[in-house]
Amino acid sequence: MLKSAVAQTDLYDFGDDSFREGLGILLDSLAREARLNATGEKFLYDRIVLHLSQRLQVEDWYRRHPEIDDGQIVAPVIGLGLPRTGSTALSVLLAQDPAVRYIRRWESSQPCPPPSTVTGVDPRIPPDKGEMVGTRYHVPVDKHGPMECHDLMALDFKSHIFHAYAQIPSYSSWLLDADLTSTFAYQRRVMKLLQWGEPQRPWRLKCPSHVLFLKYLDTAFPDARFVMTHRDPADVILSVAELYADITGRFTDHIDLPYIGRLNVQHWSAGMARTVAFRAAGAGDRFYDIDFRAMQADPLGEVTGLYRWLREPVSEEFEARMRSWWTTAAAEREPSHRADPVAYDIDLDRVRPAFADYVAHARRWTAH
């Protein structure tokens, strides 16, 4: 795969070797555990080569334009929390602010070339909503809308995105306790590349899995502020497991639903415990909290409250764009669907105790 990336780009410098550990563990886990079908083999091969090719191009842009590193990333606002808590809708609402920068859907997996260097319509912009990996989108999608940090993290091969694609327990177990210092340092490097040549704007990021890696995220973005969305984990975990199964099921003919259920309980309960500890250790005043029910009832009011906390204005244009998007998204929202918890070996009476401490804290955090 390394040779394929080199052949595709005619470049040879991958930068720091930090990515090699994750890549090696991922490839070993895929070979031994994933039981990919032909579609899965092609998709994962192409995807990994894409990440390697983009890494080569990132390093080439920095080699030719070292001034890219002079760019500043100041106090990004980072969305996190359990998945399926309204975080995607919140991130799209925040992206309606014309004064901010975010990872755009069409550039997330292909950050090169820097968008400012492209003349005319960027060929990365798809004619439709863009790539759909599973059988449906699961969340509101706009080709110009925000994307999570997963693809930028994948450039260092430490990303939750890979165990949504395949059943790779060895990789998933390693990732849970991996050191992501290099991952977020490289994400910051790519963000500087993405913003190069553009007017300076504050960043808005979003990735639920950041709850697992806050101490490393904090090293890369020590002035970051966080907006955390909350919902009863009993309403979340089954939905997340079903999302994973929809994606993974395309790439294997041997899907293990109980494994997917256990994986999600393990990772997300660990993430909530780590977030509680991170906040208790002195970072609590850097968080703004939004409850799922409040977000559903008054989305613009919740964003306005967040901006009041940030001490930033909500412009008339921003408010009008938010209102327009929310109205359109409500009309396009898919009907809710509840999977069978037995199929995923998810016993909600056992799930609740694993999240009990987080739930108690979340009640206090959202009482503003």
Side-chain angles (χ1 to χ4, degrees):
M1 291 185 178
L2 293 165
K3 290 180 179 178
S4 293
V6 168
Q8 286 183 13
T9 61
D10 199 26
L11 300 170
Y12 301 90
D13 181 10
F14 289 95
D16 187 88
D17 282 342
S18 62
F19 75 96
R20 294 180 183 272
E21 181 186 15
L23 175 61
I25 294 170
L26 174 63
L27 293 178
D28 179 70
S29 191
L30 285 168
R32 292 189 300 105
E33 300 167 334
R35 302 178 74 185
L36 298 173
N37 56 26
T39 299
E41 288 180 354
K42 183 180 188 314
F43 177 86
L44 267 299
Y45 181 91
D46 290 348
R47 199 75 179 194
I48 291 169
V49 172
L50 172 65
H51 294 316
L52 291 168
S53 299
Q54 287 293 309
R55 190 174 176 109
L56 285 166
Q57 292 176 65
V58 168
E59 295 307 310
D60 184 59
W61 276 99
Y62 267 89
R63 179 186 61 80
R64 290 183 288 120
H65 298 279
E67 69 274 16
I68 294 171
D69 201 36
D70 296 335
Q72 300 297 308
I73 296 174
V74 180
V77 176
I78 303 177
L80 44 73
L82 289 171
R84 319 301 280 173
T85 56
S87 59
T88 298
L90 175 63
S91 71
V92 179
L93 287 171
L94 296 180
Q96 304 309 307
D97 184 350
V100 305
R101 183 65 160 93
Y102 55 89
I103 303 170
R104 294 174 289 214
R105 183 175 178 84
W106 51 266
E107 69 187 359
S108 65
S109 63
Q110 297 182 71
C112 293
S116 67
T117 67
V118 177
T119 302
V121 177
D122 196 305
R124 288 169 290 189
I125 300 174
D128 51 15
K129 289 184 176 182
E131 182 182 44
M132 181 173 68
V133 179
T135 63
R136 61 188 194 278
Y137 284 110
H138 292 276
V139 294
V141 171
D142 182 315
K143 63 185 176 184
H144 294 291
M147 200 65 166
E148 295 176 354
C149 301
H150 291 303
D151 277 318
L152 299 194
M153 296 169 70
L155 295 171
D156 196 48
F157 292 93
K158 301 186 186 89
S159 175
H160 250 215
I161 200 168
F162 294 116
H163 71 201
Y165 293 151
Q167 297 164 141
I168 42 177
S170 295
Y171 176 84
S172 297
S173 178
W174 168 80
L175 181 65
L176 192 59
D177 295 309
D179 184 331
L180 269 69
T181 301
S182 62
T183 308
F184 292 121
Y186 206 79
Q187 174 171 335
R188 187 182 183 97
R189 185 170 175 81
V190 178
M191 288 165 60
K192 287 184 177 183
L193 182 79
L194 287 171
Q195 72 179 15
W196 182 55
E198 299 179 351
Q200 184 74 37
R201 289 174 288 171
W203 279 88
R204 302 289 190 255
L205 303 173
K206 177 250 181 175
C207 198
S209 66
H210 287 340
V211 294
L212 282 160
F213 312 114
L214 278 165
K215 68 177 181 179
Y216 305 115
L217 186 68
D218 189 43
T219 299
F221 303 103
D223 57 353
R225 292 164 292 176
F226 305 98
V227 54
M228 186 171 182
T229 48
H230 303 274
R231 188 179 183 183
D232 184 349
D235 294 334
V236 167
I237 291 298
L238 185 59
S239 178
V240 181
E242 185 191 22
L243 183 153
Y244 274 51
D246 180 58
I247 297 171
T248 305
R250 181 184 168 197
F251 302 134
T252 182
D253 301 323
H254 306 279
I255 195 162
D256 185 345
L257 297 183
Y259 162 74
I260 292 174
R262 293 190 301 271
L263 173 70
N264 278 282
V265 172
Q266 178 192 28
H267 274 242
W268 296 115
S269 61
M272 292 300 98
R274 292 177 187 180
T275 302
V276 169
F278 180 79
R279 294 179 64 150
D285 62 351
R286 294 166 62 190
F287 281 76
Y288 186 85
D289 298 280
I290 298 178
D291 182 78
F292 177 77
R293 292 162 296 185
M295 183 70 182
Q296 294 296 302
D298 185 12
L300 271 66
E302 291 301 313
V303 172
T304 299
L306 168 63
Y307 266 61
R308 189 181 306 118
W309 178 75
L310 294 171
R311 298 183 179 179
E312 296 180 14
V314 175
S315 67
E316 291 185 5
E317 180 184 1
F318 180 19
E319 181 175 349
R321 290 173 61 174
M322 284 196 292
R323 197 177 302 280
S324 174
W325 180 82
W326 187 264
T327 301
T328 301
E332 296 177 352
R333 190 170 294 135
E334 294 182 356
S336 59
H337 170 72
R338 185 174 178 82
D340 179 10
V342 175
Y344 292 88
D345 193 28
I346 294 178
D347 182 342
L348 296 181
D349 290 333
R350 293 202 310 267
V351 167
R352 289 188 178 93
F355 292 89
D357 186 49
Y358 155 68
V359 169
H361 280 85
R363 289 197 188 101
R364 295 194 293 273
W365 294 336
T366 55
H368 57 75

